[in-house]
Amino acid sequence: MANSPQAIAHFPFPFDQDSYMYSTNVEPADQVRDNGMAGWGGRVYDVCEHYRDEIALRNDILSRDPLRCQVLPHMREATWDVVEHATTSMARDYPDWFTREERGGEVRWTNRLLDLEQVFTPGVEDTLPEEPFHWMMRQVQEDIELLDQRGGALYVDAGILTFGADWSLDFDLGMSFLEIHGPVPRAHELGVFQRAHTFLLGLRAGQNYRRTNWTMTVGRRLDTVTEVYPEWGPDRASLTYDEIGPRLHLRVEVQHFVRLPRSNAVMFPIRTYLISLDELCTVPAWSLRLERVLASLPDDLTDYKGLARYRDMTVQWLAERNATLGATAA
Amino acid sequence: MPYGVSMEHTTLPKDGGLSLDPSGRVHVVAASPASEPVTALLAAWRAARPGTIELLHVGAAPTDAPPDTTIAVDTEDLTARLAARLGLASVGVRVYIAGDEGFVRAASAVALAAGLLPDELRTEVTTSSARRVWCSHCREITEGVTTTVTPCAGCGRTLEVFHHFSRRRGAYLGFQADAEAPGELPEPEVAWP
């Protein structure tokens, strides 16, 4: 499951400065973003070399814990919006792997990566083998949250979370956008979520936006939701200096904002990328910048992101590695 | 409380008290017990009479209980009766809930599930502030939690009570306090007596 050199070159390295603070870092999603290497972005659904592995992992998680994917009853129309958006986008962006043919009200969907072919009638649930959102989510690598807009607010009333960074969809389901972000330190005083909320309320169909978020994960582990914290929590305490290169990963989320045309719901796909520090150090500009970002990260954000146990030794590790590499800022 | 967290922006519930909402036409009061704020609410209603009023309560009846009064055997029964009452759709319903924190949150969740908007609900914690805590690992709710660290009634893990609240569940988020280093537990503090 390590990253190939090509995957590393397309990694969404999230820092464009030597320090980090929350900001409303939202930008149009149709552009490829420069990362000093091959760039990233431009597609809402990113199908990569880990596709089959991550789909298999998701299916395994869902079979053990079905509550990772939930749809409140009034979101059924939005789930069909997701099916249309995902199948249309994937067939357009990856024609070798996915085909969508529409004829006489029926859609024939072919997913060659999973050896799957399905004919269905949009809006008619029993033409799919399971509930439409679940069916679609077994074919994308993104976690997707669906926000219902009513009374001037957005509510997370459907979603899937198999690759989440320490939050619980089962607990947060039904909360408003602002409630869900309540525990995040500092960002409210900075007005980050209020601005994002206002922005999302005015989001129009056809104009997709994106932002990044980040943390770190010990081990190449995508499933770090709160439910299974007892499984991944010990990794934070057991990390040793000598293991930092292969075990510690920078975890980056590319989050998209898409207005769905029929239901008027806002779709929020979250794609998670992991890169080990050994892999990251193959790009000297990234390792130098990460050292500076971690060294200057305020203690409350360090705590909130769960980095407190290993931040200092990671800065030291990066400093040694950067000295060896003789890295200079890009 | 963690440094940097803005408490006014967390999901922690805020109780505005039981003042009468004169825009309501059907006032439903659920109280355990019917203490002083409830008596004051009943008096305010009698003075203005904006529509009808119903009282559901546990314990001794107030001297000025309205004709439409139901006595429940305990808070669980009271919550169930409130759910049944709100299942009968009425226009202009306002709900007032008073009692210990656990009852107020569980009954509020019932009212919201019945379709009430947050503005149509008024609450006051009149006795214990002990919390209901949802275990994110086994999904059981532990009632009556007074300390910042507490054993889970479902799986027995030692939970840290986090400053995050779900109105839908009427409960606070709990997660294993020593998941990273077993036995490395924060000192429990009595925070919600």
Side-chain angles (χ1 to χ4, degrees):
Chain A
M1 287 267 283
N3 292 306
S4 68
Q6 291 79 7
I8 293 170
H10 288 291
F11 186 79
F13 188 75
F15 307 115
D16 50 16
Q17 296 175 54
D18 286 340
S19 62
Y20 174 79
M21 183 41 67
Y22 287 113
S23 64
T24 314
N25 55 336
V26 176
E27 62 183 22
D30 51 355
Q31 306 282 319
V32 171
R33 177 72 180 266
D34 180 31
N35 62 356
M37 299 290 286
W40 60 270
R43 301 174 176 124
V44 171
Y45 307 91
D46 184 21
V47 179
C48 80
E49 63 192 23
H50 304 302
Y51 181 82
R52 286 195 188 89
D53 288 339
E54 292 184 10
I55 297 298
L57 175 61
R58 165 163 292 173
N59 284 329
D60 182 46
I61 293 167
L62 288 177
S63 67
R64 278 183 281 124
D65 185 0
L67 295 174
R68 298 293 194 91
C69 184
Q70 298 192 48
V71 179
L72 293 181
H74 63 277
M75 298 303 282
R76 285 298 173 88
E77 188 181 16
T79 65
W80 281 107
D81 268 346
V82 174
V83 170
E84 175 171 347
H85 189 270
T87 54
T88 304
S89 304
M90 292 163 79
R92 181 195 60 223
D93 294 341
Y94 305 95
D96 291 348
W97 296 333
F98 309 103
T99 310
R100 184 188 201 274
E101 300 162 293
E102 195 160 352
R103 199 170 297 134
E106 278 190 344
V107 172
R108 176 179 296 274
W109 168 250
T110 310
N111 178 337
R112 280 175 281 278
L113 293 181
L114 298 180
D115 196 19
L116 182 152
E117 186 166 287
Q118 180 72 43
V119 177
F120 63 91
T121 306
V124 182
E125 295 217 352
D126 60 11
T127 59
L128 284 177
E130 65 178 328
E131 184 278 320
F133 186 68
H134 285 70
W135 178 77
M136 197 71 248
M137 291 305 98
R138 294 183 196 276
Q139 300 181 64
V140 301
Q141 290 165 266
E142 286 72 22
D143 279 321
I144 295 185
E145 316 315 322
L146 288 176
L147 285 67
D148 186 35
Q149 185 163 335
R150 56 180 192 273
L154 292 155
Y155 296 88
V156 179
D157 286 346
I160 183 168
L161 196 72
T162 57
F163 307 142
D166 199 6
W167 63 287
S168 164
L169 174 69
D170 192 27
F171 188 74
D172 285 5
L173 191 73
M175 285 186 198
S176 75
F177 175 85
L178 291 174
E179 285 176 328
I180 281 192
H181 293 98
V184 181
R186 290 198 191 218
H188 295 276
E189 282 77 359
L190 296 168
V192 168
F193 295 125
Q194 290 85 341
R195 278 199 299 279
H197 185 244
T198 305
F199 168 81
L200 287 175
L201 288 173
L203 184 67
R204 283 189 275 176
Q207 300 179 330
N208 302 336
Y209 288 80
R210 72 178 172 218
R211 69 180 287 267
T212 57
N213 196 8
W214 71 278
T215 183
M216 300 189 88
T217 302
V218 179
R220 198 185 153 75
R221 184 181 173 111
L222 282 167
D223 182 12
T224 55
V225 304
T226 308
E227 281 89 333
V228 291
Y229 178 44
E231 293 174 23
W232 55 266
D235 293 339
R236 282 183 175 168
S238 71
L239 182 70
T240 64
Y241 189 85
D242 292 339
E243 298 171 323
I244 286 176
R247 273 188 86 198
L248 186 58
H249 291 69
L250 177 64
R251 180 188 190 101
V252 177
E253 293 181 352
V254 174
Q255 309 170 345
H256 279 89
F257 307 101
V258 177
R259 174 74 71 183
L260 296 172
R262 265 186 283 276
S263 61
N264 200 42
V266 171
M267 179 173 76
F268 182 49
I270 308 164
R271 177 60 191 281
T272 298
Y273 300 86
L274 291 166
I275 188 170
S276 70
L277 291 204
D278 272 345
E279 291 170 338
L280 186 135
C281 287
T282 62
V283 184
W286 294 355
S287 59
L288 190 63
R289 177 146 281 169
L290 182 63
E291 178 198 333
R292 292 173 176 170
V293 167
L294 289 180
S296 62
L297 194 67
D299 287 346
D300 55 345
L301 293 194
T302 304
D303 255 352
Y304 180 71
K305 289 181 179 289
L307 318 181
R309 288 182 189 273
Y310 53 76
R311 189 263 298 263
D312 292 349
M313 77 172 176
T314 303
V315 171
Q316 191 192 336
W317 186 91
L318 283 164
E320 280 184 26
R321 183 65 73 100
N322 286 329
T324 312
L325 293 170
T328 50
Chain B
M1 196 53 61
Y3 166 69
V5 172
S6 163
M7 294 317 296
E8 70 177 286
H9 291 109
T10 67
T11 41
L12 300 191
K14 299 160 195 72
D15 298 298
L18 293 196
S19 60
L20 184 73
D21 178 358
S23 68
R25 290 167 54 190
V26 178
H27 303 270
V28 178
V29 186
S32 175
S35 53
E36 193 281 324
V38 174
T39 311
L41 175 67
L42 295 171
W45 177 83
R46 271 196 308 278
R49 298 205 178 253
T52 62
I53 195 161
E54 302 161 38
L55 174 66
L56 301 90
H57 74 95
V58 173
T63 51
D64 50 0
D68 192 346
T69 289
T70 304
I71 301 175
V73 294
D74 54 23
T75 53
E76 198 177 330
D77 179 42
L78 180 56
T79 307
R81 285 172 187 270
L82 178 66
R85 171 61 188 87
L86 297 178
L88 310 168
S90 323
V91 177
V93 173
R94 299 293 181 272
V95 173
Y96 307 83
I97 300 169
D100 65 57
E101 151 86 31
F103 166 68
V104 169
R105 303 307 165 222
S108 296
V110 156
L112 294 172
L116 254 82
L117 300 174
D119 287 351
E120 298 167 344
L121 181 63
R122 298 191 177 190
T123 53
E124 187 162 342
V125 175
T126 55
T127 60
S128 166
S129 60
R131 294 180 165 186
R132 308 172 82 226
V133 176
W134 183 79
C135 174
S136 54
H137 313 307
C138 77
R139 298 185 164 101
E140 286 292 317
I141 286 179
T142 302
E143 307 267 357
V145 175
T146 57
T147 49
T148 51
V149 177
T150 187
C152 172
C155 63
R157 288 184 172 92
T158 304
L159 300 180
E160 180 172 341
V161 183
F162 196 56
H163 50 276
H164 194 35
F165 176 81
S166 164
R167 286 191 289 192
R168 192 172 66 98
R169 297 185 180 281
Y172 298 79
L173 179 68
F175 55 80
Q176 187 178 334
D178 61 345
E180 298 185 10
E184 191 180 288
L185 285 166
E187 197 62 37
E189 289 169 38
V190 177
W192 311 293

